[in-house]
CSV table of all heavy atoms in Angstrom, one decimal:
chain,number,residue,atom,x,y,z
A,1,GLN,N,-14.9,2.9,-17.7
A,1,GLN,CA,-15.3,1.5,-18.1
A,1,GLN,C,-14.0,0.7,-18.5
A,1,GLN,O,-13.8,-0.4,-18.1
A,1,GLN,CB,-16.2,1.5,-19.3
A,1,GLN,CG,-17.6,2.0,-19.0
A,1,GLN,CD,-18.3,1.1,-18.0
A,1,GLN,OE1,-18.2,-0.2,-18.0
A,1,GLN,NE2,-19.1,1.7,-17.1
A,2,ALA,N,-13.1,1.4,-19.2
A,2,ALA,CA,-11.8,0.8,-19.6
A,2,ALA,C,-10.8,0.6,-18.5
A,2,ALA,O,-10.0,-0.3,-18.5
A,2,ALA,CB,-11.2,1.6,-20.8
A,3,TYR,N,-10.9,1.6,-17.5
A,3,TYR,CA,-9.9,1.6,-16.4
A,3,TYR,C,-10.7,1.7,-15.1
A,3,TYR,O,-10.7,2.8,-14.5
A,3,TYR,CB,-8.9,2.7,-16.6
A,3,TYR,CG,-8.1,2.6,-17.8
A,3,TYR,CD1,-8.4,3.3,-19.0
A,3,TYR,CD2,-6.9,1.8,-17.8
A,3,TYR,CE1,-7.6,3.1,-20.1
A,3,TYR,CE2,-6.1,1.7,-19.0
A,3,TYR,CZ,-6.5,2.3,-20.1
A,3,TYR,OH,-5.7,2.2,-21.2
A,4,PRO,N,-11.3,0.6,-14.7
A,4,PRO,CA,-12.1,0.7,-13.4
A,4,PRO,C,-11.4,1.0,-12.2
A,4,PRO,O,-11.9,1.5,-11.2
A,4,PRO,CB,-12.8,-0.6,-13.4
A,4,PRO,CG,-12.0,-1.5,-14.2
A,4,PRO,CD,-11.4,-0.7,-15.3
A,5,SER,N,-10.0,0.8,-12.2
A,5,SER,CA,-9.3,1.1,-11.0
A,5,SER,C,-8.9,2.6,-10.8
A,5,SER,O,-8.5,3.0,-9.8
A,5,SER,CB,-8.0,0.3,-11.0
A,5,SER,OG,-7.1,0.7,-12.1
A,6,LEU,N,-9.2,3.4,-11.9
A,6,LEU,CA,-9.0,4.8,-11.8
A,6,LEU,C,-10.0,5.4,-10.9
A,6,LEU,O,-11.2,5.2,-11.1
A,6,LEU,CB,-9.0,5.4,-13.2
A,6,LEU,CG,-8.9,6.9,-13.3
A,6,LEU,CD1,-7.6,7.4,-12.7
A,6,LEU,CD2,-9.0,7.4,-14.7
A,7,ASN,N,-9.6,6.2,-9.9
A,7,ASN,CA,-10.5,6.8,-9.0
A,7,ASN,C,-11.1,8.1,-9.7
A,7,ASN,O,-10.5,9.1,-9.8
A,7,ASN,CB,-9.8,7.2,-7.7
A,7,ASN,CG,-10.6,7.8,-6.6
A,7,ASN,OD1,-11.7,8.4,-6.9
A,7,ASN,ND2,-10.2,7.7,-5.4
A,8,ALA,N,-12.4,8.0,-10.0
A,8,ALA,CA,-13.1,9.1,-10.7
A,8,ALA,C,-13.1,10.3,-9.9
A,8,ALA,O,-13.0,11.5,-10.4
A,8,ALA,CB,-14.5,8.7,-11.1
A,9,ASN,N,-13.3,10.2,-8.6
A,9,ASN,CA,-13.4,11.3,-7.7
A,9,ASN,C,-12.0,12.1,-7.7
A,9,ASN,O,-12.0,13.3,-7.8
A,9,ASN,CB,-13.8,10.9,-6.3
A,9,ASN,CG,-14.1,12.1,-5.4
A,9,ASN,OD1,-14.8,13.0,-5.8
A,9,ASN,ND2,-13.7,12.0,-4.2
A,10,TRP,N,-11.0,11.3,-7.7
A,10,TRP,CA,-9.6,11.9,-7.7
A,10,TRP,C,-9.4,12.7,-9.1
A,10,TRP,O,-9.0,13.8,-9.1
A,10,TRP,CB,-8.5,10.9,-7.5
A,10,TRP,CG,-7.2,11.4,-7.8
A,10,TRP,CD1,-6.4,12.2,-7.0
A,10,TRP,CD2,-6.4,11.3,-9.1
A,10,TRP,NE1,-5.2,12.5,-7.6
A,10,TRP,CE2,-5.2,12.0,-8.9
A,10,TRP,CE3,-6.7,10.7,-10.3
A,10,TRP,CZ2,-4.3,12.1,-9.9
A,10,TRP,CZ3,-5.7,10.8,-11.3
A,10,TRP,CH2,-4.5,11.5,-11.1
A,11,LEU,N,-9.8,12.0,-10.2
A,11,LEU,CA,-9.6,12.6,-11.5
A,11,LEU,C,-10.4,13.9,-11.6
A,11,LEU,O,-9.8,14.9,-12.1
A,11,LEU,CB,-10.1,11.6,-12.6
A,11,LEU,CG,-9.9,12.1,-14.0
A,11,LEU,CD1,-8.5,12.3,-14.4
A,11,LEU,CD2,-10.6,11.1,-15.0
A,12,ILE,N,-11.6,13.9,-11.2
A,12,ILE,CA,-12.4,15.1,-11.4
A,12,ILE,C,-12.2,16.2,-10.4
A,12,ILE,O,-12.1,17.4,-10.7
A,12,ILE,CB,-13.9,14.7,-11.4
A,12,ILE,CG1,-14.2,13.7,-12.6
A,12,ILE,CG2,-14.8,15.9,-11.5
A,12,ILE,CD1,-15.5,13.0,-12.6
A,13,THR,N,-12.1,15.8,-9.1
A,13,THR,CA,-12.0,16.8,-8.1
A,13,THR,C,-10.6,16.9,-7.4
A,13,THR,O,-10.3,17.9,-6.7
A,13,THR,CB,-13.0,16.5,-6.9
A,13,THR,OG1,-12.6,15.3,-6.3
A,13,THR,CG2,-14.4,16.4,-7.5
A,14,GLY,N,-9.8,15.9,-7.6
A,14,GLY,CA,-8.5,15.9,-6.9
A,14,GLY,C,-8.6,15.3,-5.5
A,14,GLY,O,-7.6,15.2,-4.8
A,15,VAL,N,-9.8,15.0,-5.0
A,15,VAL,CA,-10.1,14.5,-3.7
A,15,VAL,C,-10.0,12.9,-3.8
A,15,VAL,O,-10.5,12.3,-4.7
A,15,VAL,CB,-11.4,14.9,-3.1
A,15,VAL,CG1,-11.7,14.2,-1.8
A,15,VAL,CG2,-11.5,16.4,-3.0
A,16,GLY,N,-9.3,12.4,-2.8
A,16,GLY,CA,-9.1,10.9,-2.9
A,16,GLY,C,-7.7,10.6,-3.3
A,16,GLY,O,-6.9,11.4,-3.4
A,17,TYR,N,-7.6,9.4,-3.6
A,17,TYR,CA,-6.2,8.9,-4.0
A,17,TYR,C,-6.3,8.0,-5.2
A,17,TYR,O,-7.3,7.2,-5.3
A,17,TYR,CB,-5.6,8.2,-2.8
A,17,TYR,CG,-4.2,7.7,-3.1
A,17,TYR,CD1,-3.1,8.6,-3.2
A,17,TYR,CD2,-4.0,6.3,-3.3
A,17,TYR,CE1,-1.9,8.1,-3.5
A,17,TYR,CE2,-2.7,5.9,-3.6
A,17,TYR,CZ,-1.6,6.8,-3.7
A,17,TYR,OH,-0.4,6.4,-4.0
A,18,THR,N,-5.3,8.1,-6.0
A,18,THR,CA,-5.2,7.1,-7.1
A,18,THR,C,-3.9,6.3,-6.9
A,18,THR,O,-3.0,6.9,-6.5
A,18,THR,CB,-5.3,7.8,-8.5
A,18,THR,OG1,-5.3,6.8,-9.5
A,18,THR,CG2,-4.1,8.6,-8.7
A,19,THR,N,-4.0,5.1,-7.3
A,19,THR,CA,-2.8,4.3,-7.2
A,19,THR,C,-2.7,3.6,-8.6
A,19,THR,O,-3.7,3.3,-9.2
A,19,THR,CB,-2.8,3.3,-6.1
A,19,THR,OG1,-1.5,2.6,-6.1
A,19,THR,CG2,-3.9,2.3,-6.2
A,20,THR,N,-1.5,3.4,-9.0
A,20,THR,CA,-1.3,2.7,-10.2
A,20,THR,C,-0.4,1.5,-10.0
A,20,THR,O,0.3,1.4,-8.9
A,20,THR,CB,-0.6,3.6,-11.3
A,20,THR,OG1,0.7,3.9,-10.8
A,20,THR,CG2,-1.4,4.8,-11.6
A,21,ILE,N,-0.3,0.6,-10.9
A,21,ILE,CA,0.6,-0.6,-10.8
A,21,ILE,C,2.0,-0.1,-10.7
A,21,ILE,O,2.8,-0.6,-9.9
A,21,ILE,CB,0.4,-1.5,-12.0
A,21,ILE,CG1,-1.0,-2.1,-11.9
A,21,ILE,CG2,1.4,-2.6,-12.0
A,21,ILE,CD1,-1.5,-2.8,-13.2
A,22,THR,N,2.3,0.9,-11.4
A,22,THR,CA,3.7,1.5,-11.4
A,22,THR,C,4.1,2.0,-10.0
A,22,THR,O,5.1,1.7,-9.5
A,22,THR,CB,3.9,2.6,-12.4
A,22,THR,OG1,3.5,2.1,-13.7
A,22,THR,CG2,5.3,3.1,-12.5
A,23,GLU,N,3.2,2.8,-9.4
A,23,GLU,CA,3.4,3.3,-8.1
A,23,GLU,C,3.5,2.2,-7.0
A,23,GLU,O,4.3,2.2,-6.2
A,23,GLU,CB,2.3,4.3,-7.7
A,23,GLU,CG,2.4,5.6,-8.4
A,23,GLU,CD,1.2,6.5,-8.2
A,23,GLU,OE1,0.2,6.0,-7.7
A,23,GLU,OE2,1.3,7.7,-8.5
A,24,ASP,N,2.6,1.2,-7.2
A,24,ASP,CA,2.7,0.0,-6.2
A,24,ASP,C,4.0,-0.7,-6.3
A,24,ASP,O,4.6,-1.1,-5.4
A,24,ASP,CB,1.5,-1.0,-6.5
A,24,ASP,CG,0.2,-0.5,-6.0
A,24,ASP,OD1,0.1,0.5,-5.2
A,24,ASP,OD2,-0.8,-1.0,-6.5
A,25,LYS,N,4.5,-0.9,-7.6
A,25,LYS,CA,5.7,-1.6,-7.8
A,25,LYS,C,6.9,-0.8,-7.2
A,25,LYS,O,7.8,-1.4,-6.6
A,25,LYS,CB,5.9,-1.9,-9.3
A,25,LYS,CG,7.3,-2.6,-9.5
A,25,LYS,CD,7.2,-3.6,-10.6
A,25,LYS,CE,8.5,-4.3,-10.9
A,25,LYS,NZ,9.2,-4.8,-9.8
A,26,GLN,N,6.9,0.5,-7.4
A,26,GLN,CA,7.9,1.3,-6.8
A,26,GLN,C,8.0,1.2,-5.3
A,26,GLN,O,9.0,1.1,-4.7
A,26,GLN,CB,7.8,2.8,-7.3
A,26,GLN,CG,8.1,3.0,-8.7
A,26,GLN,CD,7.8,4.3,-9.2
A,26,GLN,OE1,7.0,5.1,-8.6
A,26,GLN,NE2,8.3,4.7,-10.4
A,27,ARG,N,6.8,1.2,-4.7
A,27,ARG,CA,6.7,1.1,-3.2
A,27,ARG,C,7.2,-0.2,-2.8
A,27,ARG,O,8.0,-0.3,-1.8
A,27,ARG,CB,5.3,1.4,-2.8
A,27,ARG,CG,4.9,2.8,-2.6
A,27,ARG,CD,3.7,3.0,-1.8
A,27,ARG,NE,2.5,2.4,-2.4
A,27,ARG,CZ,1.7,3.1,-3.3
A,27,ARG,NH1,2.0,4.4,-3.5
A,27,ARG,NH2,0.7,2.6,-3.8
A,28,GLN,N,6.8,-1.3,-3.5
A,28,GLN,CA,7.3,-2.6,-3.1
A,28,GLN,C,8.8,-2.7,-3.2
A,28,GLN,O,9.5,-3.3,-2.4
A,28,GLN,CB,6.6,-3.7,-3.9
A,28,GLN,CG,5.1,-3.8,-3.6
A,28,GLN,CD,4.4,-4.8,-4.6
A,28,GLN,OE1,5.0,-5.3,-5.5
A,28,GLN,NE2,3.1,-5.0,-4.3
A,29,ASP,N,9.3,-2.2,-4.3
A,29,ASP,CA,10.8,-2.3,-4.6
A,29,ASP,C,11.6,-1.5,-3.5
A,29,ASP,O,12.7,-1.9,-3.2
A,29,ASP,CB,11.1,-1.8,-6.0
A,29,ASP,CG,10.7,-2.7,-7.1
A,29,ASP,OD1,10.3,-3.9,-6.8
A,29,ASP,OD2,10.6,-2.3,-8.2
A,30,SER,N,11.0,-0.4,-3.0
A,30,SER,CA,11.7,0.4,-2.1
A,30,SER,C,11.6,-0.1,-0.6
A,30,SER,O,12.4,0.3,0.2
A,30,SER,CB,11.2,1.9,-2.1
A,30,SER,OG,9.9,2.0,-1.6
A,31,LYS,N,10.7,-1.0,-0.4
A,31,LYS,CA,10.5,-1.5,1.0
A,31,LYS,C,11.2,-2.9,1.1
A,31,LYS,O,11.1,-3.8,0.3
A,31,LYS,CB,9.0,-1.7,1.3
A,31,LYS,CG,8.3,-0.5,1.4
A,31,LYS,CD,6.9,-0.7,1.9
A,31,LYS,CE,6.1,0.5,2.1
A,31,LYS,NZ,4.7,0.3,2.5
A,32,LYS,N,12.0,-3.0,2.1
A,32,LYS,CA,12.7,-4.2,2.4
A,32,LYS,C,12.4,-4.6,3.9
A,32,LYS,O,12.3,-3.8,4.8
A,32,LYS,CB,14.3,-4.0,2.3
A,32,LYS,CG,14.7,-3.5,1.0
A,32,LYS,CD,14.5,-4.6,-0.1
A,32,LYS,CE,15.0,-4.0,-1.4
A,32,LYS,NZ,14.4,-4.6,-2.6
A,33,LEU,N,12.2,-5.9,4.1
A,33,LEU,CA,11.9,-6.4,5.4
A,33,LEU,C,13.2,-6.4,6.2
A,33,LEU,O,14.2,-6.9,5.9
A,33,LEU,CB,11.4,-7.9,5.3
A,33,LEU,CG,10.9,-8.5,6.5
A,33,LEU,CD1,9.7,-7.8,7.1
A,33,LEU,CD2,10.5,-10.0,6.3
A,34,SER,N,13.1,-5.8,7.4
A,34,SER,CA,14.2,-5.7,8.3
A,34,SER,C,14.1,-6.5,9.5
A,34,SER,O,15.1,-7.0,10.1
A,34,SER,CB,14.5,-4.2,8.7
A,34,SER,OG,13.5,-3.7,9.4
A,35,ARG,N,12.9,-6.7,10.0
A,35,ARG,CA,12.7,-7.5,11.2
A,35,ARG,C,11.2,-8.0,11.3
A,35,ARG,O,10.3,-7.3,10.7
A,35,ARG,CB,13.1,-6.8,12.4
A,35,ARG,CG,12.2,-5.6,12.7
A,35,ARG,CD,12.7,-4.9,14.0
A,35,ARG,NE,11.9,-3.7,14.1
A,35,ARG,CZ,11.9,-3.0,15.2
A,35,ARG,NH1,12.7,-3.3,16.2
A,35,ARG,NH2,11.2,-1.9,15.3
A,36,VAL,N,11.0,-9.0,12.0
A,36,VAL,CA,9.6,-9.5,12.3
A,36,VAL,C,9.5,-9.7,13.8
A,36,VAL,O,10.4,-10.2,14.5
A,36,VAL,CB,9.4,-10.9,11.6
A,36,VAL,CG1,8.0,-11.4,12.0
A,36,VAL,CG2,9.5,-10.8,10.1
A,37,VAL,N,8.4,-9.2,14.3
A,37,VAL,CA,8.2,-9.3,15.8
A,37,VAL,C,6.9,-10.1,16.0
A,37,VAL,O,5.9,-9.9,15.4
A,37,VAL,CB,8.0,-7.9,16.4
A,37,VAL,CG1,7.7,-8.0,17.9
A,37,VAL,CG2,9.2,-7.0,16.2
A,38,VAL,N,7.0,-11.2,16.8
A,38,VAL,CA,5.9,-12.1,17.1
A,38,VAL,C,5.5,-11.9,18.5
A,38,VAL,O,6.3,-12.0,19.4
A,38,VAL,CB,6.3,-13.6,16.8
A,38,VAL,CG1,5.1,-14.5,17.2
A,38,VAL,CG2,6.8,-13.8,15.4
A,39,PHE,N,4.2,-11.5,18.7
A,39,PHE,CA,3.7,-11.3,20.1
A,39,PHE,C,2.9,-12.6,20.5
A,39,PHE,O,2.1,-13.1,19.7
A,39,PHE,CB,2.8,-10.1,20.1
A,39,PHE,CG,3.6,-8.8,19.9
A,39,PHE,CD1,3.7,-8.3,18.6
A,39,PHE,CD2,4.2,-8.2,20.9
A,39,PHE,CE1,4.4,-7.1,18.4
A,39,PHE,CE2,4.9,-7.0,20.7
A,39,PHE,CZ,5.0,-6.4,19.5
A,40,TYR,N,3.1,-13.0,21.7
A,40,TYR,CA,2.4,-14.2,22.3
A,40,TYR,C,1.3,-13.7,23.3
A,40,TYR,O,1.4,-12.6,23.8
A,40,TYR,CB,3.4,-15.1,22.9
A,40,TYR,CG,4.4,-15.7,21.9
A,40,TYR,CD1,5.7,-15.2,21.8
A,40,TYR,CD2,4.1,-16.7,21.1
A,40,TYR,CE1,6.6,-15.7,20.9
A,40,TYR,CE2,5.0,-17.2,20.2
A,40,TYR,CZ,6.3,-16.7,20.1
A,40,TYR,OH,7.2,-17.2,19.2
A,41,ASN,N,0.4,-14.7,23.6
A,41,ASN,CA,-0.7,-14.4,24.5
A,41,ASN,C,-0.2,-14.1,25.9
A,41,ASN,O,-0.8,-13.4,26.7
A,41,ASN,CB,-1.7,-15.6,24.6
A,41,ASN,CG,-2.5,-15.7,23.3
A,41,ASN,OD1,-2.6,-14.7,22.5
A,41,ASN,ND2,-3.0,-16.9,23.1
A,42,ASP,N,1.0,-14.6,26.3
A,42,ASP,CA,1.5,-14.3,27.6
A,42,ASP,C,2.3,-13.0,27.7
A,42,ASP,O,3.0,-12.8,28.7
A,42,ASP,CB,2.4,-15.5,28.1
A,42,ASP,CG,3.7,-15.6,27.3
A,42,ASP,OD1,3.9,-14.8,26.3
A,42,ASP,OD2,4.5,-16.5,27.6
A,43,GLN,N,2.1,-12.1,26.8
A,43,GLN,CA,2.7,-10.8,26.7
A,43,GLN,C,4.2,-10.8,26.4
A,43,GLN,O,4.8,-9.8,26.4
A,43,GLN,CB,2.5,-10.0,28.0
A,43,GLN,CG,1.0,-9.9,28.5
A,43,GLN,CD,0.1,-9.2,27.4
A,43,GLN,OE1,0.5,-8.3,26.8
A,43,GLN,NE2,-1.1,-9.7,27.2
A,44,SER,N,4.7,-12.0,26.0
A,44,SER,CA,6.1,-12.0,25.6
A,44,SER,C,6.2,-11.9,24.1
A,44,SER,O,5.1,-11.9,23.4
A,44,SER,CB,6.8,-13.4,26.1
A,44,SER,OG,6.1,-14.4,25.4
A,45,PHE,N,7.4,-11.7,23.6
A,45,PHE,CA,7.5,-11.6,22.2
A,45,PHE,C,8.9,-12.0,21.7
A,45,PHE,O,9.8,-12.1,22.5
A,45,PHE,CB,7.3,-10.1,21.7
A,45,PHE,CG,8.3,-9.1,22.2
A,45,PHE,CD1,9.4,-8.8,21.5
A,45,PHE,CD2,8.2,-8.5,23.4
A,45,PHE,CE1,10.4,-7.9,21.9
A,45,PHE,CE2,9.1,-7.6,23.9
A,45,PHE,CZ,10.2,-7.3,23.1
């Protein structure tokens, strides 16, 4: 009730995945945009 984002299945059985704000922030901090690819309808990019 206090932490609805906690995956009860993961906590009890270990099956599934839990994510926390801390883990999300670490993933975001470690990812840097290196390139963007745009695809067009005529198959060009």
Side-chain angles (χ1 to χ4, degrees):
Q1 291 295 321
Y3 297 97
S5 64
L6 176 59
N7 182 334
N9 194 40
W10 171 80
L11 179 65
I12 296 167
T13 68
V15 176
Y17 181 73
T18 187
T19 185
T20 64
I21 294 169
T22 304
E23 289 171 344
D24 284 345
K25 177 141 178 52
Q26 288 172 345
R27 275 196 294 272
Q28 289 172 359
D29 290 346
S30 68
K31 290 184 178 182
K32 303 291 182 207
L33 185 63
S34 63
R35 66 183 175 167
V36 175
V37 179
V38 179
F39 293 93
Y40 297 101
N41 290 339
D42 66 357
Q43 304 303 319
S44 65
F45 66 92

